[in-house]
């Protein structure tokens, strides 16, 4: 057994919250640069230019890229030989509490979904745990803004509906969202499993680096086809018209039941935040 | 593209000259408000009481800023999704509101009220909160302090960059722009 302390975890999460909210990923930067060069709409090109300028200001001045610093979604992969001294969930939430305070990040979480009083520290986080062999602890912090989160969709298809129904569903979800999720967007699609597994996969798909396709040939082909069709919608940067509606479409799959074909769509805005570390 | 410069208050005379697609730099005073503040503003009107600011010829910005770091006027302050204010916006437009700044789609009832009373919907760049905060020179909470980031703030802005998305005739850049770049 390897022992990792509460303080090590809280401190790591604190740093990850600040980093994820102030520094854009290298993959996103590169994708925006390419989009800026290729965009046909003059207004769309100007908008992507402003987005790049915004990202540079955020990084240089250590201020949030977007004022919606999100609900903090945390993906944890924990080796079963790791012993956490002091409680893992509590340590993660303590890190979120410190990070959002020290980083001057907006606290956007309400305690009760109906009564709606702010918790004042952005906790609790939404935490997903995965237990694996070994003695490492991997933590990824992915703050999720709700301009894009609110555009999510889930549908339980019949097996007979097949891949064509899935394509139509994903494209319609992006079309319906239009300008709301702050395009250019990253589209996460989860196919298979159960209702909640498909939603989890769609969220997980957003974490994949832009430019990396699925290692399954038929899924990689589906990603490329969906990206092309989405960019043909004309929605463009901020929805004001143009060629760059999505920077990437990432599809994750899982085995499912003989009777079902669940499919979920989760959208990320152009900020597409995530930051990770291994303890 | 040459930007139109305008200074608040936004009068009917000025807003009638703005067309969907114009890029605009706003200077002067604007007010902030998002979901919870809008709910309270409309409840105030329902009770027959005065609003906490003069809404006549005013511009409202749908934003919930980040806390300001020491030395900053305001933290990151980009627009939030406007459709969540659709329930409330027609009431404020009837009271004389002439400009809204946000991002994303608006419902037909809002557009009808805009055409009827004269109001413009501007969009700012979603997710560019660090850039937009640079145009905000002063900020103070003037109502609903308990709402934190959702409190109503009076902002003094200088060359605040926006785009006319829906003008007072109902022309909509979301529709026009998309149609121009859509491929079969």
């Amino acid at each position: 057994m390897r022992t990792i302390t509460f303080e090590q975890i809280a401190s790591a999460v604190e740093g990850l919250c600040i980093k994820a909210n102030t520094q854009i990923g290298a993959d996103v930067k590169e994708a925006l640069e390419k989009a800026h060069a290729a965009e046909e709409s003059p207004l769309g090109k100007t908008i992507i230019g402003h987005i790049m300028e915004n990202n540079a200001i955020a990084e240089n001045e250590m201020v949030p890229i977007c004022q919606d610093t999100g609900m903090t979604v945390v993906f944890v992969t924990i080796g079963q030989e790791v012993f956490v001294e002091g409680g893992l969930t509590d340590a993660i939430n303590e890190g979120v509490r410190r990070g959002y305070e020290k980083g001057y990040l907006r606290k956007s979480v309400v305690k009760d979904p109906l009564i709606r009083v702010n918790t004042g520290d952005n906790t609790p986080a939404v935490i997903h745990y995965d237990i694996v062999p070994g003695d490492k602890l991997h933590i990824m912090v992915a703050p999720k803004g709700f301009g894009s989160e609110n555009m999510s969709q889930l549908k339980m298809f019949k097996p007979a509906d097949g891949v064509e129904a899935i394509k139509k569903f994903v494209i319609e979800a992006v079309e319906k969202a239009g300008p709301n999720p702050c395009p250019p967007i990253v589209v996460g699609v989860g196919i298979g499993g159960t209702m909640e597994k498909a939603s989890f996969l769609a969220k997980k798909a957003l974490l994949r680096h832009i430019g990396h396709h699925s290692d399954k040939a038929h899924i990689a082909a589906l990603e490329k086809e969906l990206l092309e069709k989405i960019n043909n919608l004309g929605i463009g940067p901020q929805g004001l018209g143009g060629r760059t509606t999505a920077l990437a479409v990432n599809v994750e799959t899982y085995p499912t039941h003989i009777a079902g074909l669940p499919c979920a769509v989760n959208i990320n805005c152009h900020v597409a935040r995530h930051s990770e570390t291994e303890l | 593209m040459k930007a139109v410069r305008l200074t608040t208050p936004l009068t009917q005379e000025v807003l009638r000259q703005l067309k969907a697609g114009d890029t605009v730099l706003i200077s002067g005073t604007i007010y902030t408000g998002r979901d919870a503040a809008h709910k309270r503003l409309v409840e105030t009107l329902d009770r027959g009481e005065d609003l906490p600011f003069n809404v006549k010829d005013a511009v409202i910005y749908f934003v919930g800023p980040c806390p300001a770091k020491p030395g900053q006027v305001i933290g990151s302050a980009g627009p939030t999704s406007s459709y969540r204010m659709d329930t409330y916006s027609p009431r404020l437009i009837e009271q004389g509101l002439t400009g809204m700044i946000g991002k994303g789609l608006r419902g037909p009832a809002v557009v009808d009220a805009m055409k009827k009373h004269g109001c413009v919907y501007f969009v700012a760049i979603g997710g560019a909160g660090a850039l937009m905060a640079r145009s905000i020179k002063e900020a103070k909470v003037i109502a609903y302090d308990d709402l934190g980031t959702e409190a109503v703030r009076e902002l003094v802005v200088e060359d605040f960059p926006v785009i006319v998305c829906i003008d007072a005739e109902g022309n909509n850049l979301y529709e026009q722009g998309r149609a121009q770049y859509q491929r079969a």
Side-chain angles (χ1 to χ4, degrees), chain A residues 12-79:
Chain A
V13 170
E14 173 191 321
L16 291 174
C17 288
I18 297 173
K19 190 177 171 199
N21 274 300
T22 55
Q23 291 180 35
I24 205 97
D27 58 327
V28 183
K29 265 187 201 166
E30 196 184 317
L32 286 169
E33 277 164 21
K34 276 188 192 163
H36 185 254
E39 181 53 59
E40 291 166 20
S41 152
L43 181 58
K45 205 182 186 70
T46 305
I47 288 168
I48 298 173
H50 282 316
I51 287 170
M52 290 159 71
E53 192 187 342
N54 178 72
N55 296 343
I57 296 170
E59 190 166 336
N60 293 338
E61 298 180 12
M62 287 274 287
V63 294
I65 302 160
C66 175
Q67 77 292 335
D68 185 354
T69 49
M71 185 155 196
T72 321
V73 182
V74 186
F75 290 83
V76 181
T77 307
I78 181 164

Side-chain angles (χ1 to χ4, degrees), chain A residues 39-43 46-47 50-51 53-54 57-58 61-67 69 104-107 147 150-151 175-182 232-235 238-243 270-271, chain B residues 1 21 23 34 63-70 72 76-81 83-84 103-105 123-132 134 149 161 163 165 173-174 177-179 181-184:
Chain A
E39 181 53 59
E40 291 166 20
S41 152
L43 181 58
T46 305
I47 288 168
H50 282 316
I51 287 170
E53 192 187 342
N54 178 72
I57 296 170
E61 298 180 12
M62 287 274 287
V63 294
I65 302 160
C66 175
Q67 77 292 335
T69 49
Y104 295 88
L105 309 177
R106 194 181 84 184
K107 290 97 178 175
N150 278 343
M151 299 296 110
E175 201 164 16
K176 200 173 167 200
N180 292 356
C182 297
N232 281 343
L233 292 172
I235 294 169
Q238 295 296 306
L240 296 169
R243 307 294 310 150
H270 57 84
V271 183
Chain B
M1 274 169 290
T23 53
R34 43 172 292 157
V63 59
C66 283
K69 282 170 91 165
Q72 268 189 321
S76 287
T80 197
S81 301
Y83 71 90
R84 295 196 315 270
K103 55 126 179 153
L105 303 167
V123 296
I125 300 175
L131 179 73
M132 256 148 327
R134 286 198 160 177
T149 186
I163 299 152
C165 184
L173 185 61
Y174 283 144
R178 189 177 161 193
Y181 292 95
Q182 191 164 20
R183 286 183 190 168

Side-chain angles (χ1 to χ4, degrees), chain B residues 117-176:
Chain B
H117 300 280
C119 181
V120 173
Y121 174 50
F122 302 99
V123 296
I125 300 175
L131 179 73
M132 256 148 327
R134 286 198 160 177
S135 299
I136 301 171
K137 304 301 172 190
E138 291 173 36
K140 68 173 178 203
V141 173
I142 58 165
Y144 318 146
D145 195 19
D146 61 300
L147 294 180
T149 186
E150 294 202 70
V152 172
R153 288 169 171 79
E154 187 181 274
L155 305 181
V156 176
V157 297
E158 203 176 286
D159 289 342
F160 188 83
V162 294
I163 299 152
V164 177
C165 184
I166 306 175
D167 63 30
E169 288 172 8
N171 299 304
N172 189 333
L173 185 61
Y174 283 144
E175 290 163 9
Q176 294 168 357

Side-chain angles (χ1 to χ4, degrees), chain B residues 4-5 14 57 59 75 77 82 97 103 114 145 150 154 158:
Chain B
V4 178
R5 283 200 147 80
V14 174
D57 294 344
V59 176
S82 308
L97 183 79
K103 55 126 179 153
M114 287 170 59
D145 195 19
E150 294 202 70
E154 187 181 274
E158 203 176 286

Side-chain angles (χ1 to χ4, degrees), chain A residues 13 16-17 20-21 69-75 92-93 95-97 100 105-106 108-109 121-128 140-146:
Chain A
V13 170
L16 291 174
C17 288
N21 274 300
T69 49
M71 185 155 196
T72 321
V73 182
V74 186
F75 290 83
I92 291 169
N93 280 319
V96 170
R97 198 171 285 125
Y100 275 68
L105 309 177
R106 194 181 84 184
S108 310
V109 175
D121 59 10
N122 223 53
T123 68
V126 171
I127 310 171
H128 301 290
M140 180 185 270
V141 169
K144 191 68 177 76
F146 265 55

